[in-house]
Amino acid sequence: MKFSEMPYTRVDMPAVMEQGKAIIEKASHAESGEEQFALHQEFGKLMDHARTLVTIASIRRDGDVTNEFYEAEKNYYDEKMPELNAVENEYQKILFKTPYRAYMEEKIGPVAFKSMELAMKAFDEKLIPLMQEENALSTRYTKLLASAKIDWEGEELNLSLLNKYKRDQDRDIRKKAWDKYSAFFEENMEELDEIYDLMVKNRTKQAKALGFENYVDMGYCLMNRNSYTKEDIEKLRKQIKEVFVPFASEMHENRRKRLGIQSLRYYDDGVYFPQGDPAPVGTPEEIMAGGQKMYTEMSKETDAFFRMMTENELFDVLGRTNKSGGGYMTELADYGVPFIFANFNGTSGDVDVITHECGHAFQYYVSGSDPIPDHNRYLTMETAEIHSMSMEFFAEPWTELFFGERGDDYRKMHLEDAVAFIPYGTMVDEFQHIVYENPELTPMERREAWNRLEKEYRPHIDGTGCGFLEAGAYWHRQRHIFEMPFYYIDYVMAQLCAFQYKIKMEKDHSSAWESYLRLCKLSASDFYPNMLAQVGLKVPFEENCIAEIIGKLKEKMD
């Protein structure tokens, strides 16, 4: 079904919760493993239907944040979703202590049960008012960023549409764009600090109410970190500081020389070539047509996937003034299809949508034949991001479709940009650990902590003259920090796995693709380290893993 034809009516939450509780009552008295499993499937379908409607409303609201109808729906779900989560938590408690555990584990796998355990640790009905308040704060943050109206030569731009000027060939234009970008955040710094301060206090209250020392452990439960610990992540951060930051700094020095400038200023961030970074040569329609050709030739699976997406209007990628910023892939479970939301803005990021977000969507598509929906329900983010980031590298043979004669420049930029991301992504993670381990910090102390981390992780950047950066407020732009705590090191871990795929595909492309396809189909049928082992990848926090990756990348970059 085409997305525009998908019907929407507001979820009758009281009715859904009543149906859910009726299933819970039956599940608590199931008389066989078969009955337990049948009720599990029934409960899953009920929740999937409700969440599908919530997702449709969310997508349509993001498509136009001024739409009063879908804005009202968003506010309704901000209030009601915690209540639905309470019913789901109640069901998980019943399933978790089922006398038919062995049968159910055989049916839905041990990952589901471990994930339920973590979810139950991080929820109690007494948190509902705090969760509703947290949702309202997230909406306030999103609306504030979406409200940006930046005057550019008489044209009104939002933050996403300004990005192409921040990477313009002309250094003066870049500086002007960055300064306008910075001015928005400087003007709203006090409110953004206030929103985040309220979020930190709120989340800390939730954690304390559940008996956690602070929000860090609760955050790990909510992120479903079911097969590694914060100590593992600390080891990863240590390796990155010691080994990867010097490697990235060397890359940035080479970039400075290539650009022919004395020093890298804040408005040189993300710029790789003096003649300007490669940009898509076609219209948005031509980019989508290039995507069709690429996925047709890549494999029979990708061909069927992309045709299904376009035929069913499952892309909303054109930039619009009243559109919410950012990009994402989400699922419409009732229809068994993914949906991709983005903001094309005339930069290479437009092509990244066709690769990165399509990597997520492709995984959801190929794993859809799995008869056990739980294998997708409990997919963890550090695994999910491998699908997307690796697809970016698998797409590189078709780069000329999008960048013409500058295909090689794009490949070089793409690799260097991925290298540059690792320190930044790790810094975001350490910052959040500092914040939630020390919730009493003032907004200014948090910004001072960010500035200290900038010197450790990104010593190449000179932010002098940019009030936004000098104030230590660059993280105000990072939606994950506000809306999805601790969801960022996942990108780092996934990028390190994607580098492994890049190394593999240059030796044996066919074998690398088969490994990737297998990982997509595994979904969350096993734990993260086990799945990596099955497809021949190393876990990033293993000793020497990063050093080995750097050695291979240096050969490539040299």
Side-chain angles (χ1 to χ4, degrees):
M1 182 181 291
K2 293 180 178 180
F3 181 72
S4 61
E5 297 171 355
M6 291 181 185
Y8 172 76
T9 53
R10 176 181 282 189
V11 178
D12 184 344
M13 285 295 185
V16 171
M17 288 188 280
E18 187 178 337
Q19 292 173 58
K21 287 176 180 178
I23 297 171
I24 290 168
E25 176 62 24
K26 291 179 186 175
S28 65
H29 297 97
E31 296 183 356
S32 68
E34 289 80 2
E35 184 185 3
Q36 191 86 74
F37 181 63
L39 289 165
H40 179 68
Q41 298 288 73
E42 185 181 348
F43 187 84
K45 285 181 180 177
L46 177 68
M47 293 297 110
D48 283 347
H49 180 61
R51 292 183 191 282
T52 296
L53 291 171
V54 173
T55 301
I56 289 172
S58 178
I59 292 168
R60 291 177 180 167
R61 180 261 181 189
D62 286 348
D64 180 4
V65 295
T66 66
N67 185 305
E68 293 181 3
F69 174 79
Y70 285 112
E71 182 64 28
E73 297 305 278
K74 173 76 165 61
N75 293 336
Y76 171 75
Y77 293 130
D78 280 352
E79 181 182 340
K80 293 297 182 183
M81 284 306 290
E83 297 174 12
L84 187 65
N85 291 341
V87 174
E88 198 160 20
N89 188 263
E90 187 181 342
Y91 171 74
Q92 288 174 343
K93 287 177 182 177
I94 295 297
L95 182 61
F96 196 73
K97 61 184 182 183
T98 175
Y100 310 108
R101 173 72 173 263
Y103 179 88
M104 289 300 293
E105 275 208 16
E106 186 179 332
K107 281 289 188 182
I108 67 176
V111 174
F113 278 94
K114 181 62 180 177
S115 300
M116 284 180 223
E117 181 185 353
L118 295 177
M120 288 187 291
K121 281 183 181 178
F123 183 83
D124 190 284
E125 285 195 37
K126 63 188 176 187
L127 297 185
I128 288 177
L130 285 169
M131 293 170 71
Q132 290 169 331
E133 178 187 297
E134 182 186 11
N135 286 344
L137 287 167
S138 290
T139 298
R140 181 180 165 192
Y141 171 76
T142 304
K143 287 185 74 174
L144 178 57
L145 264 59
S147 74
K149 290 179 173 35
I150 313 245
D151 176 59
W152 186 268
E153 307 292 334
E155 184 183 3
E156 189 179 272
L157 305 178
N158 62 18
L159 294 173
S160 292
L161 294 174
L162 186 64
N163 280 338
K164 69 176 178 180
Y165 299 107
K166 287 164 59 188
R167 298 180 71 168
D168 196 89
Q169 175 182 349
D170 187 316
R171 211 172 181 214
D172 291 335
I173 291 177
R174 294 204 300 270
K175 183 179 185 303
K176 179 182 174 182
W178 264 98
D179 290 347
K180 283 182 176 286
Y181 187 79
S182 175
F184 171 82
F185 284 97
E186 289 175 60
E187 289 163 12
N188 292 283
M189 190 179 298
E190 188 176 338
E191 184 174 358
L192 288 163
D193 271 337
E194 178 192 322
I195 292 170
Y196 192 60
D197 193 57
L198 291 170
M199 284 177 162
V200 171
K201 286 179 169 58
N202 174 294
R203 289 164 181 157
T204 300
K205 280 183 188 174
Q206 291 187 46
K208 297 278 189 184
L210 294 178
F212 292 104
E213 181 182 355
N214 55 48
Y215 186 74
V216 175
D217 287 332
M218 181 178 175
Y220 271 54
C221 288
L222 290 170
M223 282 303 300
N224 194 17
R225 302 260 159 89
N226 58 28
S227 56
Y228 55 90
T229 65
K230 60 185 179 184
E231 288 74 26
D232 290 321
I233 297 301
E234 190 174 354
K235 283 193 299 184
L236 177 65
R237 292 199 305 262
K238 185 172 183 290
Q239 279 192 73
I240 287 167
K241 276 186 187 177
E242 292 175 354
V243 183
F244 207 99
V245 169
F247 171 55
S249 296
E250 182 182 335
M251 182 275 291
H252 284 299
E253 175 57 15
N254 290 336
R255 183 168 67 89
R256 181 195 67 77
K257 291 176 182 176
R258 188 187 313 135
L259 292 173
I261 55 180
Q262 294 267 321
S263 64
L264 290 169
R265 302 298 307 282
Y266 60 93
Y267 43 85
D268 301 313
D269 193 36
V271 179
Y272 293 88
F273 294 94
Q275 71 272 36
D277 289 347
V281 294
T283 63
E285 291 75 18
E286 287 168 333
I287 291 171
M288 295 300 291
Q292 180 75 71
K293 179 174 172 58
M294 175 178 73
Y295 285 118
T296 297
E297 295 174 359
M298 190 180 290
S299 75
K300 64 179 187 297
E301 294 89 354
T302 54
D303 179 23
F305 152 73
F306 202 83
R307 289 182 189 281
M308 179 277 299
M309 293 288 290
T310 53
E311 288 169 6
N312 291 290
E313 302 172 352
L314 297 171
F315 288 100
D316 180 3
V317 297
L318 301 183
R320 297 186 296 276
T321 303
N322 293 326
K323 195 174 179 183
S324 181
Y328 56 79
M329 187 285 294
T330 189
E331 304 100 16
L332 297 161
D334 272 4
Y335 303 96
V337 297
F339 186 95
I340 291 176
F341 179 92
N343 283 271
F344 277 13
N345 56 23
T347 70
S348 61
D350 298 353
V351 177
D352 294 341
V353 171
I354 301 300
T355 57
H356 182 99
E357 298 303 341
C358 279
H360 284 305
F362 176 68
Q363 187 278 328
Y364 185 76
Y365 171 79
V366 297
S367 61
S369 58
D370 189 327
I372 308 299
D374 300 81
H375 291 165
N376 259 327
R377 268 185 206 124
Y378 297 106
L379 181 64
T380 48
M381 292 301 100
E382 77 288 317
T383 304
E385 296 301 342
I386 301 174
H387 308 140
S388 56
M389 290 175 154
S390 300
M391 182 62 88
E392 294 176 28
F393 288 129
F394 279 111
E396 284 191 341
W398 290 270
T399 295
E400 279 72 13
L401 286 174
F402 309 105
F403 297 98
E405 62 185 19
R406 297 201 66 190
D408 282 339
D409 284 351
Y410 173 79
R411 279 183 279 267
K412 185 177 186 66
M413 178 184 75
H414 180 225
L415 180 56
E416 291 189 0
D417 205 42
V419 168
F421 169 75
I422 297 292
Y424 173 74
T426 311
M427 176 172 67
V428 168
D429 183 70
E430 184 165 348
F431 175 70
Q432 293 186 91
H433 278 81
I434 291 169
V435 166
Y436 289 109
E437 286 168 4
N438 304 277
E440 73 287 349
L441 292 178
T442 65
M444 182 171 285
E445 287 170 331
R446 289 184 194 117
R447 288 190 271 110
E448 288 170 352
W450 178 268
N451 267 344
R452 288 195 300 273
L453 293 174
E454 283 275 19
K455 291 180 174 65
E456 291 179 37
Y457 284 100
R458 302 204 301 168
H460 65 281
I461 286 188
D462 179 359
T464 306
C466 179
F468 179 35
L469 270 71
E470 289 182 319
Y474 186 68
W475 56 274
H476 281 174
R477 60 175 280 285
Q478 193 61 64
R479 294 168 182 271
H480 301 71
I481 291 176
F482 284 78
E483 300 178 312
M484 294 163 277
F486 295 105
Y487 181 7
Y488 220 68
I489 198 68
D490 312 78
Y491 290 115
V492 174
M493 295 167 71
Q495 187 65 74
L496 292 166
C497 288
F499 284 146
Q500 293 179 62
Y501 270 127
K502 180 171 181 61
I503 292 162
K504 284 176 179 292
M505 70 180 71
E506 291 184 356
K507 288 184 176 177
D508 185 343
H509 191 280
S510 176
S511 173
W513 175 256
E514 288 305 314
S515 167
Y516 172 77
L517 190 57
R518 185 179 180 198
L519 182 67
C520 289
K521 290 179 178 179
L522 282 170
S523 200
S525 58
D526 203 344
F527 292 102
Y528 168 72
N530 298 344
M531 290 195 295
L532 293 195
Q534 288 182 55
V535 299
L537 297 177
K538 287 190 174 180
V539 177
F541 46 73
E542 283 181 13
E543 194 172 349
N544 295 324
C545 176
I546 294 176
E548 289 178 18
I549 291 170
I550 289 173
K552 297 292 185 183
L553 291 182
K554 271 188 173 180
E555 290 176 19
K556 172 68 179 170
M557 293 170 81
D558 289 345

